[in-house]
Amino acid sequence: MRAVAGPGRWIWGVSGLVTATALAIPGARLITSPGTDGDNVYAHPQHVVTRTETVPQPVTSLVVQSYGGQVQVTSARVDRVHVTETISYDQGTDSPPVVTQSVSGGRLSLAWEVCANGGCNVDFSVTVPPDVTVTASTAGGAIAVSGTAGANLASSGGPVRATQIRGPLTVDTAGGSLDVRGLSGPLRAETQGGTLIAQDLAAGTATITTGGGPAMVTFATAPEKVSVSTDGGPATLAVPGGPYNLTANSQGGPQSVRIATDPTALPSITITSGGGSLQVEPSGGAG
């Protein structure tokens, strides 16, 4: 079934598209509702279907809205975007949930509003050209993005991993862990309590807040402006070169500063731990 919804927009139904494949995977996923002492009276098996499509239009940006499913986006030397969806839905349902996809002005949007209230789930795995930027949000599902030209990610509690992002990165995990590796654009990150690890950063600016979780941040090149706040969690920051105009406040927690500082220096660092341990040290990167 394929229902056309306007130029550049279509709805994925039960059967495959001309450029897509649909595969029902034998076996079932067991979805349970919270109970006591392992009581699975509300457990119900689900059908699992996989769909894959190559998007025919050129794409410069990707927007994925998930309601709890996982989102994985990887860049590769490809000319077109490839989308794979793993769809789980109740056995009593006649067909998989409808997933909408639209392309407008180079922006590809993926969403499955029908699952917003439960009863089904969609995981997205997307391969994009290297110049594509990504905006992805999940209602608690994990997000992993690699090699894109920039990213804006929100997980509502799920873990987020961002690697080799070549432009701006904004992340809010709402408590989930955050792992950033190899970023070369500016960073804004908030975990609201989750662990934050950021390594091999070449960002000129970074603003990092954990809301109580630990933050371990390492720069490969000297930044221009850095702000780190953990609100009680331990904070460790490693930067190359110097001197830096440093403001460090552990609010009573143990504090160690082992970099060159100068209040008149242009590069600036502000780091507060709210009572947790605080450490600023030199990294092995270039100055």
Side-chain angles (χ1 to χ4, degrees), residues 1-2 10-24 49-56 81-85 87 99 101 110:
M1 177 185 298
R2 180 179 179 180
W10 53 94
I11 299 176
W12 295 14
V14 178
S15 61
L17 301 174
V18 173
T19 57
T21 60
L23 173 65
V49 170
T50 297
R51 295 188 184 127
T52 299
E53 167 167 312
T54 298
V55 178
V81 172
H82 304 281
V83 180
T84 298
E85 300 166 351
I87 306 167
V99 178
Q101 179 190 97
L110 303 173

Side-chain angles (χ1 to χ4, degrees), residues 163-207:
T163 58
Q164 304 302 319
I165 306 300
R166 293 174 290 101
L169 174 63
T170 299
V171 185
D172 184 352
T173 71
S177 62
L178 173 60
D179 187 357
V180 178
R181 313 278 172 141
L183 175 67
S184 55
L187 172 65
R188 294 186 63 87
E190 183 172 359
T191 66
Q192 297 183 26
T195 298
L196 186 149
I197 300 175
Q199 297 182 336
D200 195 25
L201 301 184
T205 61
T207 301

Side-chain angles (χ1 to χ4, degrees), residues 60-239:
T60 57
S61 64
L62 169 68
V63 178
V64 183
Q65 185 176 11
S66 169
Y67 294 90
Q70 300 181 17
V71 175
Q72 178 176 323
V73 182
T74 306
S75 75
R77 294 185 178 275
V78 295
D79 294 328
R80 292 291 184 264
V81 172
H82 304 281
V83 180
T84 298
E85 300 166 351
T86 301
I87 306 167
S88 306
Y89 63 101
D90 292 345
Q91 281 193 346
T93 305
D94 292 336
S95 62
V98 171
V99 178
T100 60
Q101 179 190 97
S102 64
V103 180
S104 176
R107 184 178 70 177
L108 168 63
S109 299
L110 303 173
W112 45 285
E113 293 91 341
V114 69
C115 294
N117 296 321
C120 55
N121 183 76
V122 181
D123 296 334
F124 291 100
S125 179
V126 187
T127 302
V128 300
D131 60 349
V132 170
T133 60
V134 177
T135 298
S137 62
T138 73
I143 300 176
V145 178
S146 176
T148 64
N152 187 342
L153 312 174
S155 72
S156 296
V160 174
R161 179 177 174 85
T163 58
Q164 304 302 319
I165 306 300
R166 293 174 290 101
L169 174 63
T170 299
V171 185
D172 184 352
T173 71
S177 62
L178 173 60
D179 187 357
V180 178
R181 313 278 172 141
L183 175 67
S184 55
L187 172 65
R188 294 186 63 87
E190 183 172 359
T191 66
Q192 297 183 26
T195 298
L196 186 149
I197 300 175
Q199 297 182 336
D200 195 25
L201 301 184
T205 61
T207 301
I208 294 165
T209 305
T210 69
M216 293 154 280
V217 182
T218 302
F219 281 82
T221 61
E224 300 171 4
K225 186 175 183 180
V226 178
S227 174
V228 178
S229 175
T230 62
D231 197 21
T236 302
L237 173 65
V239 292

